[in-house]
Amino acid sequence: MRLHFFRRFDYVILLCVLTLTAFGILFIYSAGINSDGALISKEYIKQIVWAGIGFFALICMALFDYRRLKRYVPYIYIVLLLTLIYIRLLGHESHGARSWIGIGSLGIQPAELGKIIYILFLAWYLERTPNENPRKRFIVALLIMCLPMGLILLQPDLGTASVYLPIFICMCFMTNIPFRYLMLVIGTGILTIIFTVLPIYQDSILHRTIPIISVFTNTKLRLLVIMAALAITLIGTLGQIIFKNRYYYWITYVFGIITMALLLSMAAGKVLKPYQTMRLIVFLDPSSDPQGSGWHITNSKIAIGAGGLWGRGFKQGTQSHYHFIPEQNTDFIFSILAEEAGFWGGMVVFAGFLVLMLRIIQIIRNTPNMFGSFIAAGILGMFFFHFVENVGMVMGIMPITGIPLPFLSYGGSSLLTAMISAGLLMSISSRRLDFNVEAL
């Protein structure tokens, strides 16, 4: 029986995980070398230890029947919420966010591991309610996302909280929830970002007043516009109830999105920290603060460009060894890799993630168990967003959010989360032909 299991062991996922993790350890080691060639950081040793712990967790999760988690998932989700509340009140503060629990230098970021719990609980709910009213399923699923996401935003940790949204979209897309409901979330999110950025763009980059943008800078005028949009939304709702006409439905739909986006952008303006605001500014115009927040992205792009086709060589990067790139072993690890391994080194990382994601899609298609399919879809959304946002961030085509690159960036919580996720995928893959649906 055990031999039969190992014949179905997903070595494709395992190879991708080991390759990416090995690359991460190598370049974390290189990032710890100074301009004199001396090793001044032992973080690569910590990463090796975490990789060992993570690999053990991966194997345990791969051997464990993921379907047995169903009975425990609701309780684990409640524990997650309680832990996030505790973190908000008494957690350790680092980089301006109260996101950690631990003793001394050993710490865990529950919001990272919470992504797996969130995926499991949302998959549990969606699998149990296939015949529920789609609107009710959407609202409950949205609430499942908003509770941990809101607590993480209060830490505040905008980067980690933002990952919960693509997970939600991917998993709900797998169900019978109408796409127009998902577009409510996507449309509201996009407009919120635009409405939040416009005042910053006017004040910090254009340095001149544009009449239409004054809606977002004048509080009284913004409240007036919100009230008008809300009134139109309510009129559309009444029209739909009374006249049963789809025309009124779309009025409610569009102006409901606009109203929510205006309210959320107003809240974002109050909640965003100064350094987060500056990240938005330098994303739009890196030259606006070249010695401050723009320093990250400017030097990251220099490092990537300096790598050329074949790279400067392992441990030969100048941007990293002179420490021109802040957070170079965590959020900006890809910059170090691209400078020292060049275009082809970067392509190995791209290929590793591409193969991993294609394999996840294949698992989703071949798994008859919906609980497993939903879990795989959530992990796909998590890995995809992490990869696109992190690599796009270091290239200057995405805003800086502090999101790590899975398997490569230094950090125990991030690596452990990625390893457990990979183990879950391997558990689902190895049991895709097992029709004993409730192996409990």
Side-chain angles (χ1 to χ4, degrees), residues 126-188:
L126 294 174
E127 193 256 352
R128 285 169 59 92
T129 58
N131 300 317
E132 286 272 5
N133 180 283
R135 185 179 299 175
K136 179 183 176 182
R137 289 184 86 202
F138 171 74
I139 293 172
V140 174
L142 191 63
L143 182 63
I144 291 171
M145 176 188 71
C146 288
L147 286 175
M149 187 177 177
L151 290 170
I152 294 167
L153 283 171
L154 290 174
Q155 292 179 359
D157 187 350
L158 180 62
T160 303
S162 65
V163 182
Y164 282 62
L165 187 57
I167 292 173
F168 173 83
I169 298 297
C170 282
M171 294 180 71
C172 288
F173 185 76
M174 287 285 298
T175 71
N176 293 323
I177 293 177
F179 187 67
R180 66 180 183 275
Y181 291 162
L182 300 182
M183 283 305 300
L184 277 172
V185 178
I186 297 171
T188 301

Side-chain angles (χ1 to χ4, degrees), residues 9 13 51 81 93 152 162 169 174 180 201 203 235 254 270 282 294 333 352 357 429:
F9 204 73
I13 292 177
L81 296 180
E93 188 170 337
I152 294 167
S162 65
I169 298 297
M174 287 285 298
R180 66 180 183 275
Y201 182 74
D203 297 339
I235 291 170
V254 172
K270 303 290 184 183
V282 299
I333 190 68
M357 291 178 196
S429 177

